Amino acid sequence: MHEMGIAQQMVNIALESIPRDIVNPRVENLNLRIGKLAAVVEDSLKFCFEIITKGTPLDGATLLIESVPVKVRCRACFHGWEVEGPVFTCPACKDGAVDILSGRELEISSIELADD
Amino acid sequence: MEINIQRKVLEANETQADRNRKYFSERKVFVLNMMSSPGSGKTETLSITIKRLMPHIRVGIIVGDICTRNDADRLGATGAPVVQINTDQFGGDCHLAAHLIDRAAREMDLDSLDLLIVENIGNLVCPAEFDIGENAKAVVLSVTEGEDKPLKYPLMFQVADVALLNKIDLLPYLDVDLNLAVDNIQKVHPKIPVFKISAKTQEGFEGWIGWLKGCVNG
């Protein structure tokens, strides 16, 4: 539901990152890292991105999304594992709170500019 | 040509949230972000919570809705200072972002408060993603929503520090398993404190009020 806001922030950061000395820059790809636990719907994000980049150097750019797995560690027994569903119970000790090590990312790694 | 960026997309919100947290801590105010789906009984729960805490703990409220001042009017009746945020002016946002909290907090005299409770917009998805500079997050789930909601909205229950299971007065009329609801919350967030309450009958508030007092006085 908030993908438009996220797309807008993403576009601002990407546009800021284009070197000023490039004439008529055109971004081909935007590399993103999105955690599986992040509340982002990829299709909505792509849809919003397409709409707001019309007529900008990002027009037609592809969003290349690296999906980051949810990795956690048990505070009781320090067992670490990858969470695949909504259950965060420690498979080793069945007890203990967990620390999230990854899976909430929402980052721009890089942009790739066309060479022409 | 590839240009390395490595930046968080929500960095602007996170920076503002950190600024808010500093502003609140300088004024010695504990900030609780209260979230839930629409109609979970958040506002009624909050009204009773305020009545139980005041006057020993001085509470202020920021309440977010897409439209209407209804909640501000209801909460204002408790005597606590209330600031209403309506996000329709900002595109009908589905969550409160840190800059809105900054603006609302500056309308309040924080030096005369111990606890600021932010009643977020009713939504189990988006508010979980946005740091507003709070010290703790609470989620309210009503038993009428069904016991599997924590599994369907794991991020919300994972980021929460405490969960309230509301409307337990309705259990005799529902096919809901209360213990399963608690289990599901704790599957998503092991060890999270869960308080079973009824804002209507005021049953079960002691544990929750004790938890909150511990936060404010701690």
Side-chain angles (χ1 to χ4, degrees):
Chain A
M1 287 165 85
H2 51 270
E3 278 76 6
M4 185 55 98
I6 288 173
Q8 192 65 60
Q9 301 279 322
M10 217 167 72
V11 166
N12 292 347
I13 293 173
L15 290 177
E16 267 173 31
S17 307
I18 300 173
R20 304 248 176 272
D21 56 356
I22 295 180
V23 185
N24 295 327
R26 194 168 61 80
V27 176
E28 275 182 334
N29 297 313
L30 224 127
N31 291 299
L32 304 171
R33 298 181 77 237
I34 301 183
K36 284 189 174 162
L37 201 53
V40 177
V41 180
E42 287 185 14
D43 286 343
S44 304
L45 187 65
K46 286 179 177 169
F47 178 73
C48 296
F49 179 80
E50 212 180 294
I51 293 172
I52 61 174
T53 50
K54 290 266 176 279
T56 76
L58 294 163
D59 197 344
T62 306
L63 294 182
L64 298 174
I65 299 174
E66 179 199 342
S67 185
V68 184
V70 182
K71 289 187 179 165
V72 303
R73 188 169 52 214
C74 176
R75 277 189 213 161
C77 74
F78 302 109
H79 175 67
W81 77 100
E82 186 178 325
V83 178
E84 305 250 350
V87 177
F88 287 72
T89 314
C90 175
C93 72
K94 311 283 181 205
D95 195 28
V98 297
D99 287 317
I100 295 183
L101 306 178
S102 74
R104 293 203 57 195
E105 292 77 359
L106 191 47
E107 298 164 2
I108 300 192
S109 323
S110 66
I111 52 174
E112 294 170 40
L113 294 173
D115 292 325
D116 52 61
Chain B
M1 177 175 57
E2 183 167 3
I3 296 166
N4 193 33
I5 299 181
Q6 308 295 349
R7 280 168 66 179
K8 290 183 179 178
V9 175
L10 296 178
E11 63 182 15
N13 187 71
E14 287 178 28
T15 305
Q16 182 60 55
D18 288 339
R19 236 180 268 149
N20 291 357
R21 219 176 331 269
K22 184 166 176 284
Y23 182 75
F24 296 138
S25 96
E26 281 166 0
R27 283 154 189 81
K28 300 185 174 58
V29 180
F30 187 88
V31 181
L32 180 77
N33 180 4
M34 212 162 161
M35 300 175 284
S36 79
S37 50
S40 66
K42 232 175 16 269
T43 308
E44 193 57 23
T45 300
L46 206 43
S47 290
I48 292 159
T49 302
I50 298 165
K51 286 177 197 156
R52 297 270 181 119
L53 292 172
M54 298 231 290
H56 302 293
I57 291 176
R58 300 165 300 169
V59 191
I61 309 288
I62 293 174
V63 53
D65 280 297
I66 292 177
C67 275
T68 82
R69 285 193 47 84
N70 295 352
D71 285 2
D73 294 341
R74 280 171 68 190
L75 292 165
T78 62
V82 183
V83 174
Q84 171 85 52
I85 298 173
N86 284 138
T87 58
D88 60 352
Q89 307 152 38
F90 309 94
D93 261 355
C94 45
H95 61 276
L96 294 178
H99 69 281
L100 296 178
I101 298 302
D102 172 54
R103 204 176 302 168
R106 286 176 197 280
E107 289 179 34
M108 302 189 114
D109 176 18
L110 292 185
D111 291 323
S112 67
L113 296 180
D114 305 304
L115 171 64
L116 176 63
I117 303 180
V118 178
E119 184 184 335
N120 217 310
I121 292 169
N123 181 340
L124 278 181
V125 184
C126 315
E129 193 66 71
F130 290 82
D131 186 359
I132 55 171
E134 71 278 64
N135 300 104
K137 296 179 201 278
V139 59
V140 184
L141 178 71
S142 56
V143 292
T144 50
E145 293 168 66
E147 60 275 269
D148 62 344
K149 284 297 174 291
L151 303 177
K152 289 183 173 171
Y153 300 91
L155 180 63
M156 176 59 77
F157 290 87
Q158 177 51 231
V159 299
D161 298 289
V162 62
L164 300 176
L165 207 42
N166 190 24
K167 304 192 187 179
I168 57 168
D169 55 294
L170 292 177
L171 284 170
Y173 313 105
L174 303 170
D175 294 325
V176 169
D177 182 339
L178 186 64
N179 291 329
L180 183 57
V182 175
D183 280 355
N184 284 341
I185 292 172
Q186 292 184 328
K187 266 185 199 164
V188 176
H189 190 152
K191 300 282 184 192
I192 186 175
V194 181
F195 298 107
K196 297 168 242 180
I197 60 164
S198 162
K200 189 173 177 69
T201 65
Q202 304 200 17
E203 188 185 346
F205 269 71
E206 294 72 24
W208 155 239
I209 296 295
W211 185 89
L212 201 48
K213 279 183 176 169
C215 289
V216 177
N217 298 326

